[in-house]
Amino acid sequence: MSAAERFTDGLYGLGWGTVKKLPEPVAVRLGQTIADLVWKQRGKGVLRLEGNYARVVPDAGPERLRELSRAGMRSYLRYWMESFRLPAWSRERVKSGFDPKDIHFLTDGLAAGGVILALPHMANYDLAGAWVTTKLETPFTTVAERLKPETLYDRFVAYREGLGMEVLPHSGGSAFGTLARRLREGGLVCLVADRDLSASGVEVDFFGEKTRMPAGPALLAQQTGALLLPVTLWYDDSPVMQGQVHPPIEVPESGGRAEKTSVMTQALADAFATGIADHPEDWHMLQRLWLADLDPAKGPS
């Protein structure tokens, strides 16, 4: 493990070991302070966040974009402060920490069979997951990207498993088959699905420009008959995160698998766009997303 990897792993370990012990108001203020310091540095992530917001809010001028990026960094750090503290939250705090609208789409779907929840990088999807396992008493399976160093990936897996999730590695090729089995058994699968710049990503129109999103949610729905539900999340001025479960994305009656996957992934992108346009500051996309922003020599970043 390199020195940089040891530092990164130690930093996250410090967060989970120390921040979770802080009183909630102190953790909130600490997150805002760190966010403002990072925002003032105008580093690569902040500038990329502003560039992405410029697509979402095309009529925003430089001042408005700066305001959005500051709010976006505060939202991003709120996610981290909450995530570090979630293992120490009581069951009642978890249950009262999320207020999703139209949850009947999920509960009715689970009563009938398997369900796939697809989310963008908005607000705190780990809190939403903890709410599902605690309030609804429904376990689910998800996928995590392998991080470097390996010890950091292990920390994230242990953290999410501690919240009641089954976590599969993204790499290795076996995740899709396991997800399909869980869905055929009537289970729940949750996937973050707003960025896949690999060759297998499905090209979609997103805020008027091309990007690629994962094919997995649409393919799983086709192969297993599971219900595919988009979900968007956001924060307001309260300690309670808000959410919207969108209507199901139907499998087209005609067309081949690739065509159906394209249509369904575009519908997923459209649902994400609706939620992101309403709450852009809670979309934590600090990486390149649109194909026009990619440097072919460097690849996605």
Side-chain angles (χ1 to χ4, degrees):
M1 187 189 305
S2 69
E5 289 175 341
R6 284 196 300 272
F7 176 77
T8 300
D9 181 58
L11 195 61
Y12 281 98
L14 180 66
W16 270 300
T18 303
V19 173
K20 72 177 180 181
K21 299 176 183 176
L22 297 175
E24 190 160 347
V26 176
V28 170
R29 288 196 298 273
L30 176 62
Q32 291 179 349
T33 299
I34 295 172
D36 289 348
L37 287 172
V38 173
W39 176 77
K40 288 176 182 177
Q41 294 298 313
R42 309 288 295 158
K44 179 181 177 181
V46 173
L47 295 178
R48 175 51 52 198
L49 188 64
E50 284 186 11
N52 291 338
Y53 286 159
R55 262 57 174 254
V56 176
V57 190
D59 59 345
E63 184 176 348
R64 171 63 176 146
L65 289 174
R66 283 175 64 89
E67 291 173 354
L68 274 174
S69 67
R70 184 183 187 188
M73 291 306 299
R74 285 191 165 201
S75 175
Y76 185 47
L77 263 294
R78 176 172 171 175
Y79 159 74
W80 279 112
M81 293 297 111
E82 286 180 350
S83 295
F84 289 143
R85 287 178 46 74
L86 261 177
W89 281 16
S90 68
R91 289 178 61 85
E92 289 307 312
R93 178 67 181 90
V94 172
K95 290 178 181 180
S96 64
F98 181 38
D99 182 23
K101 312 301 186 288
D102 294 324
I103 195 67
H104 66 89
F105 286 126
L106 172 57
T107 53
D108 292 350
L110 286 171
V115 175
I116 306 155
L117 295 181
L119 306 91
H121 287 80
M122 290 188 79
N124 191 342
Y125 38 84
D126 286 328
L127 172 55
W131 184 89
V132 167
T133 60
T134 305
K135 177 76 172 181
L136 300 185
E137 297 183 340
T138 301
F140 66 87
T141 305
T142 189
V143 175
E145 180 181 357
R146 282 201 174 276
L147 303 171
K148 291 184 178 180
E150 189 76 14
T151 51
L152 180 57
Y153 171 76
D154 292 340
R155 285 186 191 274
F156 271 97
V157 170
Y159 158 64
R160 289 179 172 138
E161 288 180 342
L163 298 176
M165 311 174 192
E166 179 187 24
V167 183
L168 306 176
H170 184 271
S171 58
S174 63
F176 187 91
T178 303
L179 295 174
R181 285 195 298 275
R182 299 291 183 268
L183 291 168
R184 291 194 185 99
E185 294 165 356
L188 176 62
V189 164
C190 300
L191 301 170
V192 179
D194 57 344
R195 185 177 189 260
D196 182 357
L197 301 179
S198 70
S200 62
V202 178
E203 190 170 293
V204 295
D205 289 311
F206 195 54
F207 291 102
E209 294 191 44
K210 298 290 186 182
T211 187
R212 289 195 291 271
M213 293 186 180
L219 288 172
L220 284 167
Q222 292 174 62
Q223 185 164 317
T224 67
L227 197 67
L228 175 55
L229 297 174
V231 179
T232 51
L233 310 171
W234 68 94
Y235 293 124
D236 57 17
D237 293 330
S238 78
V240 180
M241 184 175 71
Q242 306 298 311
Q244 177 69 55
V245 183
H246 297 259
I249 292 176
E250 305 291 344
V251 177
E253 294 183 0
S254 61
R257 187 173 73 166
E259 185 179 354
K260 290 179 179 179
T261 301
S262 178
V263 170
M264 294 174 72
T265 307
Q266 182 62 62
L268 198 61
D270 292 342
F272 290 167
T274 298
I276 293 168
D278 288 342
H279 306 281
E281 68 277 6
D282 292 313
W283 185 44
H284 308 149
M285 186 55 65
L286 280 74
Q287 300 86 25
R288 297 174 184 175
L289 180 74
W290 281 274
L291 301 186
D293 289 337
L294 300 183
D295 180 349
K298 297 179 180 179
S301 67

